[in-house]
Amino acid sequence: MLSETRSEPRPVRRFLSFPYLANTTAPAGWRSANPEHFALVSGDAPLEVDAVFITARVAETMLNRLFARLVDRLTPVVNLGATSQAGIDERGNSTAWERAEAILERIAYLPATIRQSKRDEDVLLARMFTRDADLTAHYAPESRALVDYPIAGNIANVPEIANRLVRGGQLQATFFDRVYVCPDCSSSLLSVREECHSCRSPDVHEQAIVHHFRCGFEGPDESFQTPLSTMLQCPKCADRLRHIGLDYDKPGTVMHCHSCGHRDDSTAVGFVCIHCAAKHDAAQMPARNHHSYAMTPSGLRQVLNGHVENDPTSNTNATVFDVMLHGAIQQQASLKTPFQVLDVRFGDVDMQQRGNPRLWSETHKLALDVMNSSMRDVDIISVEGTGFKVLMPQIDQRSALKFAKHIKSRIAEVLILDPDLKCSLLTADQVAALTRVRGLD
């Protein structure tokens, strides 16, 4: 059990309080290391301590600098007070000292290969284990991404790293939320508003439509109002409208723009980025899905054993493409059965996504539909960020190249947006590199 008490005496723990408080009262077994690190703010020497206790809210730049100087990326950085900040370990129902002690006890169970690893994947798994917590997404208004993962500390690109671990079977993802991203600066801190279709001003207001039964005139209610009375008066025939349902009714509403005077039965949806002030139409806004992550038994074994499990056939989260590629490689080695991997890449994806993200997304899906309709039953597609990879078992190079030419022409016939498609077969060295990236070697 991880919680069982050890018989050997525990070494004295060295801690930093940051910002420094001279009167920090530490429990028995803890000693302040602040005198040794007097230049904590301005210095750049490595900080080798057992724990850091945050005594007040710290600027993000200073906090990142502190994290960068810590020798051990698993070092507990715990709130001593009630301040909550991204990347800092929360106390929960424990005291800050108890929380730090619990983390340090779990760190002691990690094998040296994990403790000393520089791989972000290993560090992320180790932080989840030592904090005894899932990698849970939280809303973070102070973050441009709008979502952060406190357990991850200052690890950058957490979703990207976590998704690689999902593909490797070490983590399991659960959908958290979908946020929109500014195409100019990638911030998700956005103002969503109703805008005028004509001038894109947000100064639009809903007005009731008034229908005068006697003369048949219909218009916005402001055209029936007079400065001398609260009673409505028809602007066409000058009759006073006394009774709704008898003299007139209000069959609907219209949106009126106070900036340009345009009237419409609906409004447009626009986004304004809080960071860079860029304005974008809803059709131009790319979306980003965020997930929370839980460690799988495979991930726990990797943390405790200190190595990655590479057999894709034993990984329940491995893709069909990974399993079939692993099998094709083995068949080629033992039975000399040929296979090919077709690499289908789109042209300047970044430019096309910035131009019209929604149209690009639909183009990507339509290209996949075309490929599915043109493939053999035994072929397997892996959807990549910039295109597709197609595993083609039991086929020689010449036949595969013929297939690639057919795919390219079929996609060009169907798509409106020119994806600048490039199709090529991977060489043996490129297939070997692919297997290493996917953890199949």
Side-chain angles (χ1 to χ4, degrees):
M1 295 291 292
L2 296 179
S3 59
E4 61 186 353
T5 304
R6 298 187 176 191
S7 58
E8 63 269 18
R10 197 199 73 183
V12 174
R13 306 288 197 192
R14 298 168 60 254
F15 74 90
L16 289 174
S17 59
F18 184 70
Y20 175 57
L21 282 181
N23 59 348
T24 301
T25 302
W30 289 89
R31 179 173 64 84
S32 174
N34 282 83
E36 305 168 29
H37 299 283
F38 182 76
L40 180 61
V41 175
S42 59
D44 56 5
L47 299 175
E48 191 167 1
V49 293
D50 294 300
V52 178
F53 295 99
I54 304 299
T55 59
R57 189 166 188 85
V58 182
E60 183 180 357
T61 53
M62 297 306 301
L63 193 60
N64 288 337
R65 192 169 179 178
L66 170 66
F67 275 117
R69 293 177 58 195
L70 288 173
V71 173
D72 190 346
R73 297 172 73 183
L74 303 180
T75 300
V77 180
V78 188
N79 276 320
L80 196 59
T83 304
S84 177
Q85 277 190 261
I88 297 178
D89 295 304
E90 298 298 328
R91 294 181 301 169
N93 296 324
S94 308
T95 68
W97 307 96
E98 291 170 342
R99 177 62 172 152
E101 188 63 50
I103 293 172
L104 290 169
E105 286 182 0
R106 293 180 73 87
I107 288 176
Y109 281 91
L110 295 176
T113 50
I114 295 295
R115 284 292 307 274
Q116 298 166 7
S117 176
K118 302 300 182 183
R119 295 179 66 247
D120 286 334
E121 290 85 349
D122 291 337
V123 176
L124 186 58
L125 289 174
R127 288 189 67 90
M128 293 175 68
F129 173 78
T130 55
R131 274 65 180 174
D132 193 19
D134 291 338
L135 185 64
T136 304
H138 293 265
Y139 293 113
E142 71 281 1
S143 168
R144 287 197 175 197
L146 198 59
V147 174
D148 72 3
Y149 299 84
I151 292 296
N154 74 327
I155 297 176
N157 302 318
V158 174
E160 180 181 336
I161 298 166
N163 287 329
R164 287 203 295 268
L165 289 169
V166 169
R167 292 193 292 271
Q170 288 83 32
L171 294 182
Q172 184 174 19
T174 303
F175 182 79
F176 173 69
D177 200 358
R178 175 176 294 131
V179 299
Y180 290 90
V181 181
C182 173
D184 288 1
C185 72
S186 298
S187 173
S188 290
L189 295 178
L190 307 166
S191 173
V192 186
R193 61 191 195 176
E194 292 181 303
E195 296 178 346
C196 171
H197 280 289
S198 178
C199 70
R200 306 303 297 196
S201 168
D203 191 13
V204 291
H205 301 270
E206 188 175 21
Q207 292 184 340
I209 297 295
V210 177
H211 175 215
H212 184 200
F213 292 147
R214 176 171 292 181
C215 73
F217 180 77
E218 190 172 271
D221 61 355
E222 69 175 11
S223 64
F224 286 78
Q225 295 172 0
T226 62
L228 302 178
S229 173
T230 58
M231 187 177 296
L232 299 179
Q233 183 176 0
C234 179
K236 179 181 178 182
C237 66
D239 274 4
R240 290 180 176 272
L241 311 184
R242 299 178 181 276
H243 304 290
I244 188 168
L246 294 177
D247 298 327
Y248 69 99
D249 68 356
K250 295 183 177 182
T253 59
V254 66
M255 303 305 295
H256 178 218
C257 177
H258 285 192
S259 294
C260 70
H262 178 73
R263 288 189 171 91
D264 209 316
D265 60 356
S266 65
T267 55
V269 177
F271 289 78
V272 178
C273 178
I274 304 303
H275 272 103
C276 70
K279 299 177 182 179
H280 295 283
D281 184 75
Q284 298 175 314
M285 300 301 294
R288 177 181 296 154
N289 291 339
H290 288 278
H291 298 80
S292 292
Y293 303 88
M295 194 180 300
T296 64
S298 174
L300 183 59
R301 287 194 296 272
Q302 176 174 330
V303 169
L304 296 179
N305 296 335
H307 64 84
V308 181
E309 298 178 348
N310 285 327
D311 182 6
T313 59
S314 65
N315 177 5
T316 57
N317 289 310
T319 65
V320 174
F321 183 91
D322 291 339
V323 174
M324 297 301 292
L325 177 59
H326 181 74
I329 293 171
Q330 290 185 327
Q331 285 190 7
Q332 185 182 56
S334 58
L335 303 176
K336 308 301 181 185
T337 305
F339 75 92
Q340 306 296 329
V341 177
L342 175 63
D343 186 33
V344 181
R345 290 181 179 273
F346 297 106
D348 193 343
V349 174
D350 289 339
M351 184 183 71
Q352 297 190 57
Q353 286 181 327
R354 287 195 300 269
N356 193 326
R358 296 283 177 85
L359 178 58
W360 164 248
S361 177
E362 293 305 313
T363 298
H364 196 273
K365 293 175 184 177
L366 190 55
L368 179 59
D369 290 341
V370 172
M371 292 189 66
N372 281 323
S373 67
S374 305
M375 285 169 45
R376 304 174 302 166
D377 291 341
V378 295
D379 297 333
I380 304 295
I381 288 183
S382 174
V383 179
E384 313 285 337
T386 57
F388 314 99
K389 283 189 172 58
V390 184
L391 173 63
M392 307 175 68
Q394 301 179 12
I395 191 171
D396 57 35
Q397 189 178 52
R398 181 177 179 181
S399 300
L401 286 171
K402 187 176 180 181
F403 173 83
K405 184 178 180 180
H406 171 68
I407 282 289
K408 191 172 182 178
S409 63
R410 282 285 296 127
I411 290 178
E413 290 171 3
V414 173
L415 298 185
I416 298 175
L417 181 67
D418 180 12
D420 188 21
L421 207 64
K422 295 176 176 61
C423 298
S424 61
L425 295 180
L426 297 188
T427 65
D429 289 342
Q430 289 172 327
V431 171
L434 178 65
T435 60
R436 287 193 295 272
V437 170
R438 291 177 175 266
L440 305 178
D441 55 350

